[in-house]
């Protein structure tokens, strides 16, 4: 059973990260858009991505992760897992920051440039690298 849960956890994480990579990219283009038709289109795309894909994927990934920990609580004794869970918490915070940005765009209150969003888009990459290295190498 554990391996089935793990497989679906990985699928949810991949889907979540796809959204975490794509939504800030949409913010880049939204911040650069100059006509109302484009802005309206981006609002729809961002909302559907966040609510329809990213948030359900996050909930499933976290839920399955908790389920795996309940089946194998000995992992909580490992330092690498504490570091990984810290990265997961940071990723959840990033997810909700994306949601706040989405609301700013939806109400036409974005004050940040496309350059900001290009840098903002790099944060989940760092978390992904750290999480994968921790899970695979289990360095401590």
């Amino acid at each position: 059973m554990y391996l089935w849960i793990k497989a679906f956890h990985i699928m949810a994480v991949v889907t979540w990260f796809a959204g975490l990579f794509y939504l800030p990219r949409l913010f880049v283009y939204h911040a650069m858009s100059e006509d109302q038709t484009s802005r309206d289109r981006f609002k729809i795309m961002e909302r559907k991505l966040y609510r329809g894909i990213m948030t359900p994927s996050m909930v499933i990934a976290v839920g399955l992760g908790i389920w795996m920990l309940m089946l194998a609580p000995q992992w909580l004794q490992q330092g690498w897992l504490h570091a990984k869970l810290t990265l997961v918490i940071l990723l959840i915070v990033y997810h909700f920051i994306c949601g706040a940005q989405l609301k700013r765009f939806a109400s036409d209150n974005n004050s940040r440039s496309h350059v900001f969003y290009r840098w903002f888009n790099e944060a989940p990459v760092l978390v992904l690298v750290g999480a994968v290295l921790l899970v695979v190498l289990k360095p401590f």
Side-chain angles (χ1 to χ4, degrees), residues 6-85:
K6 186 176 183 179
F8 282 100
H9 172 73
I10 291 168
M11 287 182 248
V13 168
V14 168
T15 304
W16 185 24
F17 266 101
L20 289 169
F21 291 146
Y22 189 48
L23 184 61
R25 179 55 49 182
L26 288 176
F27 292 161
V28 169
Y29 300 134
H30 194 158
M32 293 172 58
S33 65
E34 296 179 359
D35 62 284
Q36 192 60 43
T37 303
S38 295
R39 287 192 290 270
D40 290 343
R41 185 177 306 120
F42 283 118
K43 289 176 188 180
I44 292 167
M45 292 170 66
E46 292 158 359
R47 185 187 76 243
K48 287 184 176 186
L49 178 62
Y50 186 78
R51 292 185 184 163
I53 297 171
M54 288 172 60
T55 300
S57 297
M58 176 190 68
V59 169
I60 292 167
V62 170
L64 292 173
I66 290 169
W67 194 1
M68 285 190 298
L69 286 175
M70 290 169 57
L71 292 175
Q74 67 273 14
W75 288 114
L76 289 170
Q77 309 265 334
Q78 303 292 317
W80 67 267
L81 184 61
H82 291 250
K84 185 210 172 211
L85 292 175

Side-chain angles (χ1 to χ4, degrees), residues 58 79 112 120:
M58 176 190 68
R112 296 191 168 123
F120 180 73

Side-chain angles (χ1 to χ4, degrees), residues 64-116:
L64 292 173
I66 290 169
W67 194 1
M68 285 190 298
L69 286 175
M70 290 169 57
L71 292 175
Q74 67 273 14
W75 288 114
L76 289 170
Q77 309 265 334
Q78 303 292 317
W80 67 267
L81 184 61
H82 291 250
K84 185 210 172 211
L85 292 175
T86 299
L87 292 176
V88 170
I89 290 167
L90 290 174
L91 200 61
I92 291 168
V93 169
Y94 182 85
H95 178 98
F96 287 114
I97 290 170
C98 284
Q101 283 305 129
L102 183 141
K103 288 179 184 176
R104 285 189 193 97
F105 275 113
S107 63
D108 295 319
N109 287 325
N110 175 55
S111 60
R112 296 191 168 123
S113 74
H114 67 94
V115 175
F116 169 83

